[in-house]
Amino acid sequence: MNRTTIALWLTLSALCSGAALAGPREDQLARYATAAMQANPAFTAFSAMRGQALFQQKFSGGKPDTPACTSCHASSPRSAGRSPVGKAIEPMALSVTPTRYTDPAKVEKWFKRNCTEVIGRECSAQEKGDWLSYMFGQ
Amino acid sequence: MNIPFRAIATSLGALVFSGLLYGYAQAGGGHYYAPVSDTVVQEECGSCHMAFAPSMLPARSWQRMMGGLDQHFGDNASLDAATAARVGSYLANHAADAPGQPYRAKLVRNLPDSAAPLRITELPGWVNKHRKVSAREWADPAVRSKSNCGACHTAAARGYYED
């Protein structure tokens, strides 16, 4: 299979995943898949397990008071988190907060902001797709 | 016909007075700070902390705030230009000293005209109002920070800040 075929297949599988018709979530995931493959030809598919590992991993490159996603989002995606100043953050799991991830610009904005604060750099397309895959399945 | 001017004037006066009183009482007797009504401002300013009422700071403070979003109390809270313009003008138009504010909010009453503070919790009026709050209460895990108004003021999201 050449790369275009793989991209098509990935887009299709992203579009067809789940019972729902393609919506903004699936479209965004498909765009991340295309970008992930452009960055790494060996990329095949997103992994919710890698997403979970990313969600729980402690980093040292970002701000010391927020070393992980779980610093503000609760250790379980199904629980509510708290911002550093104490404001409640709705659970990240799609099953618990079904209104999430429908605005691609908002998703991008928070990946950019939070990856920079936690990891000290922006997240790659693959990391974003893995992370979202984990949350969509939770 | 004998028109009772005095009686009419007295009733009208009473009506106006009770109307003013009612308005003040509705406004929480000086403890009311209208919550943000703009959805974009609510979203952009209310994700990490509550979207603070613009009438808690003068317009010059909000201008300073919007000019330094890349270093917003230690966070980079930068916005794109269009969003920043919308947020900035909303805050300025509803600031403590914006035209049309019914009365000068207690929080900024003793603030010198030259001062443009960024922290609501450092306003003389704020410090004075919270002087009796003990260190133990501030340390409560449900409070976490002085910017978490709703932890104690349970109606803060609706604009009411009674004790």
Side-chain angles (χ1 to χ4, degrees):
Chain A
M1 275 198 292
N2 64 24
R3 282 175 61 174
T4 323
T5 324
I6 298 176
L8 261 172
W9 185 83
L10 277 170
T11 311
L12 269 174
S13 62
L15 288 175
C16 299
S17 65
L21 289 166
R25 294 189 192 101
E26 291 75 17
D27 289 350
Q28 188 160 29
L29 211 52
R31 283 194 296 276
Y32 285 145
T34 310
M37 200 163 42
Q38 275 164 3
N40 171 22
F43 170 82
T44 51
F46 292 129
S47 149
M49 273 183 67
R50 282 198 307 257
Q52 180 176 16
L54 178 64
F55 181 71
Q56 293 169 339
Q57 189 178 340
K58 282 200 159 46
F59 295 89
S60 53
K63 287 170 67 175
D65 47 342
T66 55
C69 303
T70 54
S71 307
C72 298
H73 304 293
S75 51
S76 160
R78 297 176 189 225
S79 307
R82 281 183 96 194
S83 79
V85 296
K87 189 178 194 292
I89 305 172
E90 291 188 317
M92 301 313 287
L94 187 57
S95 64
V96 188
T97 317
T99 49
R100 282 205 181 277
Y101 314 115
T102 51
D103 178 355
K106 186 176 172 181
V107 172
E108 266 294 284
K109 171 188 151 172
W110 286 105
F111 268 134
K112 182 175 181 185
R113 211 172 140 170
N114 291 345
C115 290
T116 308
E117 301 222 321
V118 170
I119 312 180
R121 59 163 172 83
E122 289 193 32
C123 285
S124 68
Q126 185 192 314
E127 286 170 325
K128 293 175 191 175
D130 288 343
W131 198 95
L132 285 177
S133 301
Y134 173 52
M135 293 308 166
F136 291 177
Q138 282 295 300
Chain B
M1 201 167 70
N2 202 358
I3 301 170
F5 283 111
R6 271 187 68 169
I8 291 173
T10 313
S11 337
L12 272 178
L15 206 67
V16 168
F17 180 73
S18 51
L20 285 174
L21 205 65
Y22 179 67
Y24 188 70
Q26 256 204 330
H31 294 286
Y32 178 72
Y33 296 85
V36 168
S37 58
D38 184 295
T39 51
V40 171
V41 178
Q42 181 66 43
E43 169 75 25
E44 298 301 339
C45 306
S47 297
C48 303
H49 51 71
M50 79 170 283
F52 299 114
S55 62
M56 287 184 173
L57 287 174
R60 55 187 184 276
S61 288
W62 291 123
Q63 277 150 14
R64 223 185 118 202
M65 194 89 67
M66 294 306 291
L69 281 184
D70 56 330
Q71 290 170 34
H72 186 66
F73 306 102
D75 278 359
N76 185 343
S78 301
L79 299 171
D80 64 79
T83 312
R86 175 162 174 172
V87 172
S89 70
Y90 180 88
L91 294 174
N93 291 338
H94 296 80
D97 54 349
Q101 288 290 354
Y103 52 86
R104 196 120 194 236
K106 279 182 182 170
L107 275 181
V108 295
R109 216 167 272 171
N110 294 321
L111 193 67
D113 284 344
S114 57
L118 296 179
R119 287 182 192 274
I120 294 166
T121 54
E122 286 172 4
L123 295 172
W126 191 97
V127 173
N128 182 42
K129 281 299 225 176
H130 295 81
R131 66 189 185 280
K132 288 176 189 160
V133 180
S134 68
R136 187 179 55 82
E137 288 169 287
W138 287 124
D140 189 305
V143 176
R144 202 178 262 201
S145 83
K146 288 182 178 178
S147 48
N148 192 8
C149 310
C152 303
H153 302 284
T154 51
R158 281 181 286 123
Y160 295 96
Y161 293 83
E162 275 95 34
D163 308 328

